[in-house]
Amino acid sequence: MSLNKIIFLLLPFINLSYGQNRVIEYKMLLNKSNKMENRMFDAYPKTEENLKLISLSLVYNKDEMTFYIKEIPKIVQDDIGSSLLITDIQGIYHRKSNSDDLFIEIEKYGSQENFIVKKKSITTWNITNEKKMICGYECIKATSTFDVDADENEEKKRLSPIIAWYCPELNDSYGPKGIAGLPGVILEMEYISLIYVAVKINDKENNDIISLPKDKKIITESQMFEGF
């Protein structure tokens, strides 16, 4: 059988494999090394326990990704004050492959109105030689910083470190909260007061990408801070 015929026969299976969604489930841990940010948790003694109960999902393919809270158990929902603080997730995060634009679908406080914040999310990484295994995959450590206050009009920036462990074998540039820019998916990330850790990677689940709504208002970060 000729090489061309073999490629023709395999092509449908190659496309199926490449086109399917991969689902990565994350848990959150309290980043105890960030003592300054953790002061706000002092009034919530159940924070560390509740964090372990919240499940987050990164669903992606070669074209786009979605990151969102998959599940908050009722026991955490009942602890309203702590829940609002510990999740650190603003809404549903959307990102296209090879794009600097990050879209966050947010529900306006005190109403059922949803809007979308568009922001530039460009991260410059320093890749190190450190490696470790996460979920059976070899990961490489990378570091960067980001603006905590996130207001593009501020002259003075309050920078905070990011520590990410990305997997070259999973060679799409995605991560929790839409953080990107590395040659592999981020399976662990220290981000302010939290650590996001992958606990399950599944290629067989048929979770659909949550598409960016086309009928919602899109605003900038500055407009969000101004109350648009």
Side-chain angles (χ1 to χ4, degrees):
M1 184 180 294
S2 69
L3 179 60
N4 288 338
K5 287 183 178 180
I6 293 174
I7 293 175
F8 178 78
L9 290 173
L10 288 176
L11 191 57
F13 298 97
I14 294 172
N15 288 337
L16 176 63
S17 176
Y18 194 55
Q20 72 182 6
N21 294 334
R22 174 173 282 127
V23 183
I24 303 180
E25 183 178 322
Y26 294 82
K27 295 293 184 183
M28 291 184 290
L29 305 174
L30 192 62
N31 185 5
K32 295 182 179 180
S33 64
N34 196 328
K35 295 180 181 179
M36 181 179 294
E37 296 294 340
N38 285 333
R39 289 175 184 173
M40 68 178 181
F41 293 132
D42 290 344
Y44 302 99
K46 294 182 179 179
T47 294
E48 190 168 6
E49 179 183 341
N50 285 346
L51 277 174
K52 298 176 182 178
L53 302 177
I54 298 173
S55 177
L56 308 106
S57 286
L58 172 66
V59 184
Y60 72 91
N61 54 38
K62 64 183 180 65
D63 297 315
E64 60 183 325
M65 61 141 280
T66 307
F67 181 75
Y68 58 94
I69 295 177
K70 180 179 180 181
E71 181 181 7
I72 301 181
K74 189 176 185 305
I75 188 173
V76 180
Q77 294 177 25
D78 291 342
D79 191 359
I80 299 297
S82 181
S83 297
L84 290 174
L85 287 173
I86 65 179
T87 60
D88 190 42
I89 306 297
Q90 294 174 291
I92 300 174
Y93 294 74
H94 305 267
R95 189 171 200 140
K96 293 287 187 181
S97 176
N98 299 319
S99 173
D100 293 333
D101 292 330
L102 176 64
F103 295 88
I104 311 172
E105 187 180 353
I106 299 176
E107 182 177 309
K108 191 172 183 180
Y109 296 114
S111 74
Q112 295 300 313
E113 179 185 354
N114 285 15
F115 62 95
I116 296 166
V117 177
K118 178 182 178 180
K119 59 185 291 186
K120 290 291 182 184
S121 180
I122 304 173
T123 307
T124 302
W125 294 98
N126 173 41
I127 297 176
T128 75
N129 293 321
E130 294 185 54
K131 298 179 180 180
K132 71 175 180 179
M133 301 297 292
I134 302 173
C135 288
Y137 289 90
E138 183 177 78
C139 296
I140 300 173
K141 181 180 179 181
T143 62
S144 186
T145 58
F146 74 105
D147 175 20
V148 175
D149 299 316
D151 188 343
E152 59 193 35
N153 292 326
E154 291 287 338
E155 294 183 4
K156 294 183 179 180
K157 302 293 185 181
R158 185 164 67 96
L159 297 178
S160 183
I162 305 176
I163 299 175
W165 293 87
Y166 72 93
C167 176
E169 187 176 342
L170 307 177
N171 59 359
D172 292 285
S173 185
Y174 300 126
K177 292 176 70 76
I179 300 297
L182 286 165
V185 176
I186 297 172
L187 297 187
E188 183 176 317
M189 182 174 77
E190 294 184 24
Y191 188 95
I192 313 182
S193 56
L194 297 174
I195 301 175
Y196 300 83
V197 183
V199 293
K200 181 182 178 182
I201 301 175
N202 198 326
D203 293 330
K204 296 180 180 179
E205 290 184 14
N206 193 26
N207 290 40
D208 292 330
I209 296 286
I210 300 175
S211 299
L212 187 69
K214 297 180 179 179
D215 59 340
K216 303 300 180 184
K217 182 175 183 179
I218 297 178
I219 63 172
T220 65
E221 280 188 285
S222 294
Q223 289 175 315
M224 181 179 70
F225 285 114
E226 293 167 1
F228 66 95

